Amino acid sequence: MISARALWRIFVMPLYVMLAGVVFSLAMTRTAGSIIGGLAPLAPWALLAAAVLAALLVVGSILRVRRRLRHMRRSIRRSRRRVARRADAWTAPEADWAEHGHR
């Protein structure tokens, strides 16, 4: 099962970034006719930057989850191999006594 933290990173965080980009873009468009009116033409770029950042967040989160799952699977395989090696290396005490001719 995927953790709540991973779901937050994959879905909610990019939505917040997009929402911030939309709000910032709308604020920039409303500057037309004011002293900082030169920012109004840059509004679409702010929205584009927010979309690119949100996409990077989603891709990075998915890659992180995949890497974590790969490491977990590898550690499970290693532990199973370790248990199998211990089981293979174990010899019954009777077998040791029988080899040396003791009864």
Side-chain angles (χ1 to χ4, degrees):
M1 172 131 188
I2 232 169
S3 69
R5 181 186 226 171
L7 289 175
W8 177 270
R9 280 189 184 137
I10 293 172
F11 297 113
V12 179
M13 212 41 184
L15 286 176
Y16 279 166
V17 169
M18 280 303 298
L19 181 65
V22 166
V23 169
F24 194 66
S25 180
L26 288 174
M28 288 175 81
T29 56
R30 294 186 52 98
T31 62
S34 72
I35 217 168
I36 54 173
L39 295 176
L42 299 176
W45 290 103
L47 190 57
L48 180 69
V52 167
L53 186 59
L56 284 174
L57 282 170
V58 168
V59 169
S61 304
I62 290 172
L63 289 176
R64 182 184 175 117
V65 167
R66 289 184 65 214
R67 185 181 68 210
R68 176 112 170 110
L69 286 174
R70 187 174 61 239
H71 285 294
M72 287 172 54
R73 286 186 193 121
R74 187 174 15 178
S75 68
I76 289 171
R77 272 183 280 172
R78 283 182 183 167
S79 65
R80 284 182 183 165
R81 272 188 260 150
R82 193 178 310 125
V83 167
R85 269 185 294 190
R86 284 185 196 153
D88 291 342
W90 186 78
T91 58
E94 297 85 25
D96 286 339
W97 283 99
E99 283 180 10
H100 299 293
H102 300 288
R103 291 194 186 256

XYZ file of all heavy atoms in Angstrom:
811
model
N 0.839 -1.173 0.000
C 0.000 0.000 0.000
C 0.885 1.237 0.000
O 1.921 1.274 0.638
C -0.896 -0.049 1.230
C -1.680 1.170 1.452
S -3.366 0.706 1.735
C -4.110 2.282 1.715
N 0.453 2.222 -0.688
C 1.217 3.460 -0.797
C 0.920 4.337 0.422
O -0.212 4.389 0.886
C 0.881 4.151 -2.124
C 2.128 4.472 -2.879
C 0.105 5.377 -1.957
C 1.861 4.908 -4.277
N 1.924 4.976 0.957
C 1.743 5.771 2.167
C 1.028 7.086 1.861
O 0.998 7.562 0.722
C 3.100 6.061 2.804
O 3.826 6.948 1.998
N 0.479 7.670 2.907
C -0.214 8.953 2.763
C 0.760 10.048 2.331
O 0.406 10.946 1.567
C -0.881 9.326 4.081
N 1.994 9.940 2.795
C 3.007 10.930 2.420
C 3.305 10.878 0.923
O 3.449 11.909 0.271
C 4.264 10.647 3.218
C 5.380 11.606 2.960
C 6.613 11.135 3.681
N 7.220 12.241 4.367
C 8.201 12.120 5.214
N 8.655 10.928 5.522
N 8.738 13.170 5.778
N 3.385 9.669 0.387
C 3.640 9.521 -1.050
C 2.452 10.034 -1.858
O 2.636 10.689 -2.887
C 3.919 8.071 -1.384
N 1.248 9.730 -1.415
C 0.063 10.252 -2.112
C 0.041 11.774 -2.074
O -0.341 12.421 -3.056
C -1.211 9.687 -1.478
C -1.465 8.207 -1.721
C -2.672 7.736 -0.940
C -1.652 7.934 -3.195
N 0.430 12.342 -0.948
C 0.495 13.800 -0.822
C 1.471 14.365 -1.851
O 1.169 15.345 -2.533
C 0.940 14.166 0.588
C 1.113 15.629 0.809
C 2.243 16.349 0.627
C 0.110 16.552 1.223
N 2.026 17.657 0.914
C 0.729 17.819 1.287
C -1.228 16.426 1.555
C 0.038 18.943 1.665
C -1.901 17.569 1.934
C -1.281 18.801 1.989
N 2.646 13.735 -1.963
C 3.655 14.227 -2.903
C 3.219 14.082 -4.353
O 3.549 14.910 -5.182
C 4.954 13.448 -2.718
C 5.762 13.906 -1.567
C 7.110 13.242 -1.592
N 7.861 13.626 -0.429
C 8.576 12.794 0.283
N 8.657 11.536 -0.061
N 9.236 13.217 1.325
N 2.496 13.011 -4.653
C 2.138 12.753 -6.045
C 0.954 13.600 -6.491
O 0.934 14.098 -7.620
C 1.841 11.254 -6.249
C 3.120 10.443 -6.061
C 1.279 10.995 -7.635
C 2.893 8.948 -6.048
N -0.038 13.764 -5.633
C -1.281 14.417 -6.068
C -1.492 15.823 -5.496
O -1.763 16.758 -6.239
C -2.489 13.548 -5.687
C -2.486 12.218 -6.362
C -2.320 11.053 -5.629
C -2.629 12.114 -7.728
C -2.306 9.817 -6.249
C -2.613 10.888 -8.357
C -2.451 9.737 -7.610
N -1.365 15.982 -4.192
C -1.753 17.244 -3.559
C -0.725 18.342 -3.786
O -1.091 19.477 -4.105
C -2.009 17.023 -2.055
C -2.398 18.313 -1.369
C -3.089 15.969 -1.856
N 0.540 18.020 -3.638
C 1.577 19.038 -3.801
C 1.545 19.689 -5.191
O 1.580 20.917 -5.285
C 2.910 18.367 -3.529
C 3.987 19.138 -2.933
S 3.570 20.236 -1.640
C 5.174 20.887 -1.472
N 1.474 18.902 -6.283
C 1.379 19.539 -7.596
C 0.105 20.383 -7.771
O 0.136 21.416 -8.439
C 1.384 18.366 -8.573
C 2.080 17.287 -7.845
C 1.695 17.462 -6.416
N -0.992 19.952 -7.143
C -2.216 20.770 -7.214
C -2.022 22.112 -6.521
O -2.488 23.147 -7.018
C -3.394 20.014 -6.595
C -3.952 18.878 -7.427
C -5.044 18.150 -6.662
C -4.498 19.400 -8.743
N -1.340 22.097 -5.381
C -1.046 23.352 -4.694
C -0.161 24.259 -5.542
O -0.357 25.469 -5.589
C -0.378 23.091 -3.348
C -1.323 22.739 -2.231
C -0.850 22.208 -1.049
C -2.695 22.930 -2.344
C -1.694 21.878 -0.017
C -3.553 22.606 -1.325
C -3.058 22.083 -0.157
O -3.890 21.767 0.862
N 0.814 23.674 -6.200
C 1.707 24.466 -7.048
C 0.919 25.079 -8.204
O 1.098 26.257 -8.539
C 2.880 23.596 -7.553
C 3.662 24.300 -8.643
C 3.791 23.229 -6.402
N 0.035 24.287 -8.815
C -0.785 24.819 -9.914
C -1.719 25.916 -9.415
O -1.906 26.942 -10.082
C -1.603 23.697 -10.568
C -0.822 22.869 -11.548
S -0.085 23.828 -12.878
C -1.517 24.492 -13.676
N -2.316 25.718 -8.244
C -3.199 26.733 -7.680
C -2.432 28.027 -7.413
O -2.920 29.125 -7.722
C -3.834 26.215 -6.390
C -4.799 27.160 -5.698
C -6.022 27.402 -6.574
C -5.205 26.609 -4.350
N -1.230 27.903 -6.873
C -0.401 29.092 -6.635
C -0.047 29.769 -7.948
O -0.051 31.007 -8.045
C 0.865 28.695 -5.883
N 0.237 28.978 -8.991
C 0.536 29.559 -10.298
C -0.655 30.295 -10.883
O -0.500 31.376 -11.469
N -1.843 29.730 -10.723
C -3.051 30.389 -11.229
C -3.297 31.700 -10.486
O -3.579 32.734 -11.101
C -4.269 29.440 -11.110
C -5.577 30.183 -11.308
C -4.150 28.303 -12.100
N -3.175 31.665 -9.175
C -3.393 32.880 -8.374
C -2.356 33.937 -8.736
O -2.695 35.127 -8.922
C -3.342 32.544 -6.868
C -3.285 33.808 -6.023
C -4.541 31.699 -6.487
N -1.107 33.532 -8.858
C -0.052 34.486 -9.199
C -0.264 35.056 -10.600
O -0.076 36.256 -10.834
C 1.307 33.788 -9.088
C 2.461 34.727 -9.085
C 2.663 35.604 -8.044
C 3.371 34.727 -10.127
C 3.731 36.472 -8.036
C 4.446 35.590 -10.137
C 4.631 36.459 -9.085
N -0.678 34.203 -11.524
C -0.930 34.656 -12.886
C -2.094 35.638 -12.937
O -2.029 36.666 -13.628
C -1.220 33.448 -13.775
O -1.477 33.851 -15.091
N -3.161 35.333 -12.220
C -4.306 36.262 -12.170
C -3.911 37.591 -11.531
O -4.357 38.661 -11.973
C -5.468 35.628 -11.415
C -6.193 34.501 -12.134
C -7.229 33.861 -11.223
C -6.843 35.019 -13.407
N -3.098 37.530 -10.506
C -2.639 38.765 -9.863
C -1.796 39.591 -10.820
O -1.888 40.830 -10.835
C -1.852 38.439 -8.610
N -0.993 38.920 -11.632
C -0.160 39.653 -12.585
C -1.003 40.286 -13.689
O -0.691 41.391 -14.151
C 0.900 38.724 -13.185
C 2.001 38.353 -12.208
S 3.148 37.161 -12.866
C 4.198 38.206 -13.840
N -2.057 39.609 -14.118
C -2.898 40.195 -15.171
C -3.650 41.415 -14.660
O -3.953 42.319 -15.436
C -3.915 39.178 -15.715
O -4.695 38.665 -14.657
C -3.222 38.070 -16.462
N -3.929 41.461 -13.376
C -4.667 42.606 -12.815
C -3.776 43.824 -12.606
O -4.260 44.875 -12.198
C -5.336 42.197 -11.510
C -6.421 41.151 -11.740
C -7.177 40.846 -10.493
N -7.691 42.023 -9.826
C -8.935 42.475 -9.942
N -9.790 41.847 -10.720
N -9.319 43.540 -9.285
N -2.487 43.682 -12.886
C -1.595 44.829 -12.732
C -1.634 45.755 -13.938
O -0.994 46.808 -13.918
C -0.139 44.371 -12.503
O 0.298 43.637 -13.629
C -0.003 43.561 -11.238
N -2.375 45.382 -14.983
C -2.444 46.234 -16.177
C -2.996 47.600 -15.788
O -3.997 47.725 -15.096
C -3.327 45.581 -17.221
N -2.321 48.644 -16.217
C -2.743 50.009 -15.927
C -2.183 50.555 -14.639
O -2.437 51.715 -14.310
N -1.416 49.779 -13.889
C -0.827 50.281 -12.653
C 0.652 50.571 -12.874
O 1.170 50.443 -13.977
C -1.013 49.272 -11.515
O -0.175 48.164 -11.708
N 1.305 50.923 -11.802
C 2.717 51.259 -11.895
C 3.571 50.038 -12.242
O 4.637 50.175 -12.842
C 3.160 51.924 -10.577
C 4.155 53.023 -10.841
C 3.766 50.953 -9.629
C 4.405 53.894 -9.651
N 3.116 48.876 -11.859
C 3.838 47.646 -12.192
C 3.133 46.919 -13.335
O 3.180 45.693 -13.439
C 3.990 46.724 -10.965
C 2.649 46.435 -10.308
C 4.974 47.286 -9.973
C 2.719 45.409 -9.197
N 2.523 47.651 -14.206
C 1.777 47.093 -15.323
C 2.629 46.305 -16.296
O 2.099 45.534 -17.098
N 3.915 46.465 -16.240
C 4.803 45.710 -17.117
C 4.797 44.212 -16.817
O 5.256 43.403 -17.628
N 4.258 43.835 -15.671
C 4.197 42.423 -15.313
C 3.028 41.693 -15.972
O 3.038 40.467 -16.064
C 4.078 42.269 -13.792
C 5.261 42.737 -12.965
C 4.941 42.595 -11.487
C 6.500 41.949 -13.306
N 2.036 42.443 -16.419
C 0.831 41.821 -16.985
C 1.132 40.885 -18.162
O 0.557 39.798 -18.224
C -0.169 42.893 -17.386
N 2.027 41.245 -19.093
C 2.301 40.314 -20.190
C 3.028 39.034 -19.754
O 3.064 38.053 -20.495
C 3.191 41.113 -21.145
C 3.111 42.519 -20.728
C 2.652 42.537 -19.317
N 3.574 39.047 -18.552
C 4.301 37.873 -18.065
C 3.393 36.848 -17.382
O 3.865 35.786 -16.969
C 5.391 38.303 -17.083
C 6.467 39.235 -17.647
C 7.416 39.649 -16.538
C 7.226 38.549 -18.763
N 2.119 37.142 -17.273
C 1.189 36.251 -16.563
C 1.152 34.837 -17.152
O 1.178 33.864 -16.392
C -0.204 36.873 -16.532
N 1.092 34.669 -18.469
C 1.084 33.289 -18.986
C 2.363 32.522 -18.660
O 2.326 31.296 -18.470
C 0.942 33.472 -20.494
C 0.418 34.836 -20.690
C 0.882 35.642 -19.524
N 3.470 33.235 -18.565
C 4.729 32.567 -18.236
C 4.722 32.052 -16.803
O 5.299 31.003 -16.505
C 5.913 33.506 -18.474
C 6.135 33.748 -19.925
C 5.796 34.860 -20.624
C 6.708 32.834 -20.861
N 6.128 34.700 -21.948
C 6.684 33.470 -22.112
C 7.226 31.561 -20.754
C 7.173 32.858 -23.258
C 7.718 30.938 -21.894
C 7.685 31.596 -23.124
N 4.086 32.790 -15.911
C 3.980 32.334 -14.518
C 3.159 31.054 -14.444
O 3.499 30.119 -13.716
C 3.354 33.422 -13.657
N 2.084 31.015 -15.226
C 1.244 29.816 -15.251
C 2.013 28.637 -15.873
O 1.929 27.509 -15.383
C -0.039 30.094 -16.023
C -1.125 29.040 -15.936
C -1.524 28.789 -14.503
C -2.326 29.475 -16.746
N 2.752 28.910 -16.915
C 3.555 27.862 -17.558
C 4.629 27.338 -16.609
O 4.855 26.127 -16.520
C 4.192 28.397 -18.838
C 5.062 27.409 -19.607
C 4.196 26.311 -20.217
C 5.855 28.133 -20.674
N 5.277 28.235 -15.889
C 6.309 27.819 -14.933
C 5.703 26.949 -13.833
O 6.299 25.951 -13.418
C 6.995 29.042 -14.328
N 4.504 27.311 -13.377
C 3.838 26.504 -12.344
C 3.480 25.123 -12.892
O 3.627 24.111 -12.192
C 2.587 27.214 -11.850
N 3.034 25.067 -14.131
C 2.684 23.770 -14.736
C 3.921 22.886 -14.897
O 3.872 21.679 -14.622
C 2.005 23.988 -16.081
N 5.026 23.468 -15.320
C 6.267 22.711 -15.481
C 6.760 22.201 -14.122
O 7.158 21.034 -13.978
C 7.358 23.570 -16.174
C 8.723 22.927 -16.073
C 6.974 23.817 -17.617
N 6.687 23.067 -13.121
C 7.115 22.654 -11.785
C 6.215 21.545 -11.231
O 6.702 20.576 -10.630
C 7.111 23.855 -10.841
C 7.662 23.617 -9.439
C 9.103 23.129 -9.512
C 7.576 24.886 -8.630
N 4.910 21.649 -11.460
C 3.989 20.600 -11.005
C 4.277 19.273 -11.714
O 4.263 18.206 -11.088
C 2.543 21.031 -11.240
N 4.560 19.344 -13.009
C 4.882 18.124 -13.752
C 6.181 17.495 -13.229
O 6.272 16.270 -13.088
C 5.003 18.429 -15.241
N 7.167 18.314 -12.931
C 8.417 17.798 -12.366
C 8.182 17.152 -10.999
O 8.797 16.125 -10.681
C 9.446 18.921 -12.244
C 10.117 19.350 -13.535
C 11.010 20.557 -13.288
C 10.916 18.219 -14.124
N 7.305 17.752 -10.216
C 6.983 17.164 -8.915
C 6.342 15.783 -9.073
O 6.671 14.848 -8.344
C 6.045 18.080 -8.134
C 6.681 19.281 -7.454
C 5.609 20.222 -6.927
C 7.564 18.823 -6.321
N 5.425 15.649 -10.024
C 4.756 14.372 -10.245
C 5.760 13.327 -10.726
O 5.812 12.205 -10.201
C 3.594 14.524 -11.254
C 3.085 13.176 -11.703
C 2.474 15.342 -10.652
N 6.561 13.677 -11.701
C 7.544 12.729 -12.242
C 8.555 12.326 -11.161
O 8.867 11.138 -10.993
C 8.256 13.320 -13.481
C 9.449 12.485 -13.885
C 7.280 13.456 -14.620
N 9.049 13.294 -10.417
C 10.002 12.989 -9.348
C 9.400 12.110 -8.267
O 10.057 11.203 -7.759
N 8.155 12.354 -7.933
C 7.491 11.539 -6.913
C 7.311 10.107 -7.379
O 7.542 9.155 -6.618
C 6.126 12.126 -6.569
O 6.225 13.442 -6.159
N 6.921 9.944 -8.622
C 6.724 8.592 -9.154
C 8.056 7.856 -9.228
O 8.145 6.674 -8.868
C 6.023 8.649 -10.521
C 4.572 9.093 -10.327
C 6.083 7.318 -11.231
C 3.828 9.374 -11.604
N 9.104 8.536 -9.650
C 10.423 7.901 -9.692
C 10.899 7.521 -8.293
O 11.505 6.465 -8.091
C 11.437 8.822 -10.359
C 11.264 9.014 -11.863
C 12.267 10.031 -12.383
C 11.398 7.700 -12.594
N 10.603 8.353 -7.331
C 10.987 8.065 -5.951
C 10.263 6.824 -5.422
O 10.858 5.965 -4.785
C 10.683 9.270 -5.080
C 11.071 9.108 -3.653
C 10.639 10.329 -2.859
N 10.908 10.141 -1.466
C 11.745 10.875 -0.764
N 12.390 11.859 -1.346
N 11.927 10.642 0.511
N 8.964 6.727 -5.709
C 8.184 5.567 -5.269
C 8.709 4.303 -5.945
O 8.863 3.260 -5.298
C 6.684 5.779 -5.559
C 5.903 4.485 -5.411
C 6.112 6.843 -4.650
N 8.997 4.387 -7.247
C 9.515 3.210 -7.955
C 10.861 2.775 -7.390
O 11.117 1.584 -7.210
C 9.650 3.504 -9.444
C 8.298 3.611 -10.139
C 8.443 3.796 -11.610
N 9.044 2.597 -12.186
C 9.875 2.594 -13.214
N 10.197 3.724 -13.792
N 10.368 1.477 -13.685
N 11.736 3.738 -7.083
C 13.046 3.408 -6.528
C 12.896 2.769 -5.151
O 13.563 1.786 -4.836
C 13.896 4.671 -6.429
C 15.318 4.388 -5.971
C 16.130 5.635 -5.859
N 15.606 6.421 -4.750
C 15.654 7.732 -4.685
N 16.194 8.419 -5.652
N 15.172 8.370 -3.642
N 11.986 3.298 -4.356
C 11.745 2.733 -3.017
C 11.220 1.301 -3.110
O 11.667 0.425 -2.364
C 10.758 3.614 -2.277
C 10.364 3.093 -0.942
C 10.890 3.968 0.144
N 10.306 3.570 1.407
C 11.006 2.977 2.357
N 12.278 2.755 2.178
N 10.441 2.637 3.477
N 10.288 1.066 -4.011
C 9.764 -0.285 -4.189
C 10.847 -1.250 -4.661
O 10.901 -2.396 -4.216
C 8.597 -0.282 -5.178
C 7.283 0.287 -4.660
C 6.265 0.351 -5.791
C 6.758 -0.531 -3.510
N 11.705 -0.783 -5.558
C 12.799 -1.624 -6.051
C 13.742 -2.008 -4.909
O 14.143 -3.158 -4.782
C 13.544 -0.900 -7.158
C 14.591 -1.748 -7.836
C 15.221 -1.064 -9.027
N 15.898 0.171 -8.655
C 15.605 1.376 -9.135
N 14.661 1.510 -10.032
N 16.260 2.444 -8.743
N 14.064 -1.044 -4.043
C 14.939 -1.331 -2.913
C 14.277 -2.285 -1.922
O 14.939 -3.162 -1.368
C 15.342 -0.045 -2.202
C 16.356 0.744 -2.942
N 17.649 0.319 -3.160
C 16.280 1.945 -3.553
C 18.318 1.209 -3.856
N 17.499 2.215 -4.111
N 12.987 -2.116 -1.710
C 12.287 -3.017 -0.801
C 12.270 -4.438 -1.346
O 12.514 -5.399 -0.606
C 10.859 -2.519 -0.561
C 10.804 -1.295 0.319
S 9.182 -0.544 0.457
C 8.178 -1.898 0.968
N 11.978 -4.585 -2.636
C 11.975 -5.916 -3.239
C 13.353 -6.559 -3.168
O 13.486 -7.749 -2.895
C 11.512 -5.832 -4.689
C 10.037 -5.593 -4.825
C 9.621 -5.658 -6.281
N 8.289 -5.125 -6.426
C 7.960 -4.086 -7.191
N 8.892 -3.499 -7.910
N 6.737 -3.658 -7.255
N 14.390 -5.762 -3.424
C 15.745 -6.299 -3.384
C 16.109 -6.755 -1.975
O 16.712 -7.804 -1.789
C 16.735 -5.252 -3.868
C 18.122 -5.815 -4.001
C 19.116 -4.895 -4.595
N 18.689 -3.509 -4.639
C 19.423 -2.527 -5.090
N 20.615 -2.765 -5.549
N 18.981 -1.296 -5.101
N 15.712 -5.992 -0.962
C 16.030 -6.387 0.408
C 15.268 -7.648 0.802
O 15.801 -8.493 1.528
C 15.730 -5.253 1.384
O 14.346 -5.038 1.467
N 14.051 -7.810 0.315
C 13.295 -9.035 0.600
C 13.979 -10.229 -0.049
O 14.133 -11.285 0.572
C 11.834 -8.894 0.120
C 11.093 -7.919 1.012
C 11.132 -10.248 0.095
C 9.720 -7.544 0.497
N 14.420 -10.062 -1.302
C 15.130 -11.152 -1.978
C 16.412 -11.512 -1.242
O 16.744 -12.686 -1.081
C 15.454 -10.770 -3.418
C 14.329 -11.106 -4.382
C 14.739 -10.764 -5.756
N 14.527 -9.303 -5.822
C 14.893 -8.516 -6.800
N 15.518 -8.983 -7.810
N 14.655 -7.235 -6.779
N 17.146 -10.498 -0.784
C 18.389 -10.758 -0.058
C 18.127 -11.521 1.227
O 18.860 -12.445 1.557
C 19.093 -9.447 0.268
C 19.811 -8.844 -0.887
C 20.507 -7.582 -0.464
N 21.155 -6.945 -1.582
C 21.618 -5.717 -1.556
N 21.495 -4.990 -0.456
N 22.195 -5.194 -2.616
N 17.100 -11.117 1.959
C 16.822 -11.805 3.219
C 16.378 -13.239 2.967
O 16.740 -14.149 3.720
C 15.779 -11.051 4.033
O 14.542 -11.046 3.364
N 15.627 -13.478 1.913
C 15.222 -14.853 1.593
C 16.428 -15.696 1.219
O 16.535 -16.854 1.618
C 14.206 -14.852 0.448
C 12.837 -14.419 0.886
C 11.866 -14.471 -0.256
N 10.562 -13.977 0.180
C 9.602 -13.639 -0.639
N 9.770 -13.733 -1.941
N 8.455 -13.208 -0.170
N 17.344 -15.113 0.447
C 18.556 -15.841 0.086
C 19.394 -16.143 1.322
O 19.970 -17.227 1.444
C 19.382 -15.040 -0.921
C 18.971 -15.323 -2.348
C 19.920 -14.669 -3.302
N 19.241 -13.456 -3.738
C 19.822 -12.340 -4.089
N 21.126 -12.238 -4.086
N 19.122 -11.294 -4.472
N 19.468 -15.185 2.240
C 20.240 -15.367 3.461
C 19.652 -16.503 4.295
O 20.384 -17.362 4.806
C 20.247 -14.065 4.262
C 21.246 -14.047 5.368
C 21.279 -12.718 6.117
N 21.392 -11.578 5.232
C 20.534 -10.539 5.220
N 19.513 -10.526 6.036
N 20.704 -9.544 4.397
N 18.337 -16.543 4.417
C 17.688 -17.616 5.170
C 17.923 -18.960 4.488
O 18.205 -19.964 5.156
C 16.173 -17.324 5.318
C 15.424 -18.539 5.813
C 15.957 -16.135 6.227
N 17.843 -18.988 3.171
C 18.069 -20.236 2.437
C 19.510 -20.717 2.616
O 19.754 -21.915 2.783
C 17.757 -20.044 0.959
N 20.479 -19.803 2.598
C 21.879 -20.194 2.801
C 22.099 -20.763 4.190
O 22.812 -21.742 4.377
C 22.804 -19.006 2.583
C 23.281 -18.889 1.154
C 24.258 -17.781 1.062
N 23.458 -16.581 1.362
C 23.867 -15.345 1.210
N 25.058 -15.107 0.799
N 23.090 -14.329 1.463
N 21.458 -20.144 5.200
C 21.586 -20.659 6.559
C 20.979 -22.053 6.664
O 21.529 -22.925 7.329
C 20.897 -19.727 7.542
C 21.669 -18.489 7.840
C 20.984 -17.686 8.900
N 21.495 -16.334 8.931
C 20.819 -15.296 9.349
N 19.580 -15.448 9.773
N 21.351 -14.113 9.349
N 19.834 -22.227 6.020
C 19.191 -23.545 6.063
C 20.034 -24.580 5.340
O 20.125 -25.733 5.784
C 17.800 -23.454 5.438
N 20.664 -24.213 4.250
C 21.510 -25.154 3.506
C 22.791 -25.480 4.270
O 23.308 -26.591 4.176
C 21.874 -24.592 2.128
C 20.672 -24.530 1.201
O 19.670 -25.207 1.486
O 20.750 -23.800 0.193
N 23.310 -24.510 4.982
C 24.571 -24.710 5.694
C 24.382 -25.480 6.994
O 25.339 -26.019 7.537
C 25.217 -23.361 5.987
N 23.174 -25.534 7.489
C 22.916 -26.203 8.760
C 22.947 -27.704 8.581
O 22.366 -28.259 7.662
C 21.552 -25.764 9.295
C 21.272 -26.284 10.658
C 21.766 -25.819 11.828
C 20.449 -27.403 10.977
N 21.291 -26.542 12.866
C 20.473 -27.547 12.368
C 19.698 -28.287 10.234
C 19.786 -28.526 13.034
C 19.005 -29.277 10.897
C 19.054 -29.390 12.285
N 23.662 -28.369 9.455
C 23.688 -29.833 9.431
C 23.134 -30.340 10.751
O 23.345 -29.735 11.805
C 25.118 -30.369 9.240
O 25.932 -29.859 10.298
C 25.676 -29.960 7.898
N 22.463 -31.440 10.686
C 21.887 -32.021 11.891
C 22.992 -32.550 12.784
O 24.002 -33.069 12.297
C 20.929 -33.144 11.508
N 22.845 -32.458 14.080
C 23.883 -32.954 14.993
C 24.147 -34.445 14.825
O 25.275 -34.894 14.961
C 23.320 -32.661 16.377
C 22.288 -31.614 16.172
C 21.783 -31.776 14.781
N 23.111 -35.222 14.498
C 23.303 -36.659 14.320
C 24.247 -36.932 13.148
O 25.046 -37.868 13.186
C 21.968 -37.373 14.053
C 20.973 -37.276 15.185
C 20.147 -36.008 15.126
O 19.983 -35.443 14.020
O 19.681 -35.563 16.175
N 24.158 -36.129 12.107
C 25.020 -36.338 10.944
C 26.491 -36.111 11.323
O 27.373 -36.837 10.865
C 24.616 -35.415 9.806
N 26.789 -35.132 12.159
C 28.161 -34.893 12.582
C 28.691 -36.064 13.392
O 29.830 -36.500 13.231
C 28.246 -33.610 13.421
C 28.108 -32.367 12.567
O 28.349 -32.463 11.348
O 27.759 -31.308 13.110
N 27.863 -36.607 14.280
C 28.290 -37.733 15.106
C 28.519 -38.967 14.246
O 29.462 -39.715 14.469
C 27.244 -38.049 16.187
C 27.300 -37.096 17.323
C 26.501 -36.037 17.522
C 28.228 -37.122 18.400
N 26.854 -35.371 18.654
C 27.918 -36.020 19.228
C 29.288 -37.945 18.754
C 28.631 -35.734 20.380
C 29.989 -37.658 19.909
C 29.654 -36.558 20.707
N 27.663 -39.159 13.247
C 27.775 -40.332 12.391
C 29.043 -40.275 11.544
O 29.656 -41.298 11.263
C 26.539 -40.467 11.512
N 29.442 -39.093 11.118
C 30.633 -38.963 10.284
C 31.898 -39.359 11.041
O 32.840 -39.910 10.476
C 30.797 -37.507 9.812
C 29.889 -37.133 8.697
C 30.095 -35.677 8.286
O 31.056 -35.034 8.746
O 29.265 -35.191 7.510
N 31.940 -39.080 12.322
C 33.140 -39.342 13.108
C 33.111 -40.710 13.776
O 34.022 -41.028 14.564
C 33.318 -38.250 14.168
C 33.473 -36.882 13.565
N 34.577 -36.525 12.812
C 32.664 -35.792 13.573
C 34.434 -35.267 12.405
N 33.278 -34.822 12.852
N 32.130 -41.487 13.511
C 32.061 -42.824 14.029
C 31.576 -42.923 15.474
O 31.735 -43.943 16.116
N 31.028 -41.899 16.012
C 30.519 -41.917 17.386
C 29.050 -42.329 17.381
O 28.318 -42.074 16.465
C 30.644 -40.534 18.024
C 32.042 -40.040 18.087
N 32.964 -40.549 18.947
C 32.690 -39.076 17.373
C 34.119 -39.923 18.794
N 33.973 -39.023 17.819
N 28.644 -42.964 18.454
C 27.239 -43.340 18.604
C 26.735 -42.950 19.943
O 27.318 -42.957 20.930
C 27.061 -44.835 18.406
C 27.301 -45.199 16.991
C 26.775 -46.601 16.748
N 27.159 -46.972 15.407
C 26.330 -46.989 14.411
N 25.086 -46.698 14.569
N 26.734 -47.339 13.231
